[in-house]
C-alpha cells in the first residue's frame, strides 16, 4: 500500500465515518474489545480506548473501556487461579525464578500491581497471569485492577477523545504526543524499578 493510499484512507472524514460505524455495533462491542485484549496482549488496547472515547464520548467511552479491561484482567486472573491447580502449573510454580517472582508479588501485594496498571505500555497482561498463579488475595488484585486501570484508561481517553482537534490543531497534537511519551517513559521507569526491587529481594534469599 502506497503512502498516498494510506493518506487518503486516514483522512479526518474517513476516521469520523469509521467511528460512526464502530458506534453502530453498540456498547457491547466497545466492552468486548478491551476485554479480549486481556487474553491477546498484542491487540492495541490504546487504540480501542481512543475509539471508544471518540465514538461514545469521553465519559461513556471511558466507562465502557474500563469495564471491558477490568473484566478481562479479572477473568484471566480467575482462569489462571483455577489452572494453577493442574500439575503442569504446580511444577512451573516450583521453578526457582517463578517461585521468587510469585513470592515477591504476594509480599508486595497492592502497590506494585496498582502502579503497573496505572500506566499504558507496561506488561499488565503478564501480571494478570502471574498474579493468578500467586497466592495474592483476589480482592486485593481486583482493587488494584479497578483503581489502576481507572487512572490509565481515563488518561488515554482524555488525551484521545477528540481526534478531529488532534488532527487539525498542531499544538494540541504536540502536547498529546509529549504526554504519551511521558506516560511511556514513566511506565518504563516504574517497570524497571519494580524489576530492581524484585532482584534485590532475590539476592536477600
Amino acid at each position: 500500500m502506497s503512502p498516498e493510499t494510506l493518506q487518503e484512507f486516514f483522512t479526518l472524514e474517513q476516521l469520523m465515518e469509521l467511528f460512526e460505524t464502530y458506534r453502530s455495533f453498540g456498547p457491547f462491542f466497545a466492552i468486548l474489545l478491551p476485554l479480549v485484549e486481556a487474553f491477546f496482549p498484542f491487540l492495541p488496547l490504546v487504540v480501542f480506548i481512543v475509539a471508544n472515547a471518540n465514538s461514545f464520548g469521553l465519559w461513556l467511552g471511558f466507562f465502557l473501556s474500563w469495564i471491558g479491561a477490568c473484566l478481562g484482567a479479572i477473568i484471566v486472573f480467575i482462569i489462571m487461579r483455577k489452572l494453577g491447580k493442574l500439575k503442569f502449573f504446580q511444577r512451573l510454580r516450583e521453578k526457582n525464578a517463578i517461585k521468587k517472582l510469585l513470592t515477591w508479588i504476594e509480599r508486595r501485594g497492592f502497590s506494585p500491581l496498582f502502579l503497573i496498571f496505572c500506566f499504558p505500555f507496561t506488561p499488565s497482561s503478564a501480571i494478570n497471569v502471574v498474579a493468578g498463579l500467586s497466592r495474592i488475595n483476589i480482592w486485593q488484585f481486583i482493587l488494584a485492577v479497578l483503581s489502576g486501570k481507572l487512572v490509565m484508561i481515563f488518561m488515554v481517553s482524555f488525551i484521545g477523545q477528540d481526534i478531529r482537534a488532534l488532527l487539525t490543531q498542531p499544538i494540541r497534537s504536540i502536547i498529546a504526543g509529549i504526554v504519551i511519551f511521558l506516560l511511556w517513559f514513566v511506565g518504563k521507569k516504574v517497570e524497571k524499578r519494580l524489576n530492581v526491587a524484585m532482584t534485590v529481594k532475590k539476592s536477600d534469599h
Side-chain angles (χ1 to χ4, degrees):
M1 185 177 287
S2 65
E4 292 77 14
T5 307
L6 282 173
Q7 190 174 5
E8 289 175 7
F9 182 77
F10 287 108
T11 61
L12 182 58
E13 291 73 19
Q14 289 285 353
L15 285 172
M16 293 302 107
E17 186 178 333
L18 184 63
F19 289 137
E20 282 299 318
T21 304
Y22 181 87
R23 184 175 183 174
S24 68
F25 288 105
F28 175 77
F29 191 69
I31 292 173
L32 181 64
L33 287 179
L35 189 155
V36 170
E37 187 274 340
F39 293 86
F40 304 100
F42 56 84
L43 293 175
L45 178 60
V46 170
V47 172
F48 299 154
I49 295 171
V50 170
N52 283 347
N54 279 272
S55 301
F56 297 92
L58 172 60
W59 292 106
L60 180 57
F62 151 72
F63 182 71
L64 295 174
S65 298
W66 181 66
I67 290 294
C70 290
L71 279 176
I74 293 167
I75 291 170
V76 169
F77 176 90
I78 292 172
I79 289 173
M80 294 312 299
R81 180 136 297 184
K82 298 293 184 183
L83 291 177
K85 298 175 182 178
L86 299 176
K87 288 183 179 180
F88 170 79
F89 289 103
Q90 287 178 354
R91 287 197 297 268
L92 184 66
R93 288 171 61 173
E94 291 305 314
K95 290 185 178 295
N96 197 40
I98 301 294
K99 194 173 184 178
K100 288 178 179 177
L101 176 59
L102 294 173
T103 302
W104 181 78
I105 288 178
E106 290 163 2
R107 287 183 177 178
R108 294 283 179 154
F110 173 85
S111 297
L113 294 177
F114 171 75
L115 283 173
I116 288 172
F117 292 135
C118 269
F119 294 97
F121 318 116
T122 54
S124 58
S125 298
I127 293 298
N128 297 335
V129 172
V130 175
L133 292 174
S134 74
R135 294 184 179 85
I136 188 173
N137 184 278
I138 185 172
W139 297 111
Q140 203 174 17
F141 176 81
I142 289 174
L143 180 61
V145 168
L146 294 178
S147 54
K149 286 193 179 291
L150 184 144
V151 173
M152 183 272 288
I153 291 173
F154 183 78
M155 286 192 295
V156 175
S157 298
F158 184 79
I159 293 168
Q161 66 178 307
D162 192 349
I163 290 293
R164 184 185 297 274
L166 288 175
L167 293 177
T168 57
Q169 299 175 20
I171 298 298
R172 183 164 180 168
S173 299
I174 292 169
I175 293 171
I178 292 171
V179 172
I180 291 171
F181 172 77
L182 288 175
L183 289 175
W184 173 84
F185 181 77
V186 174
K188 290 301 175 185
K189 285 289 184 183
V190 168
E191 183 182 349
K192 185 177 179 180
R193 180 142 191 163
L194 293 174
N195 287 337
V196 169
M198 189 179 70
T199 304
V200 170
K201 280 289 181 182
K202 287 180 182 179
S203 64
D204 291 340
H205 292 278

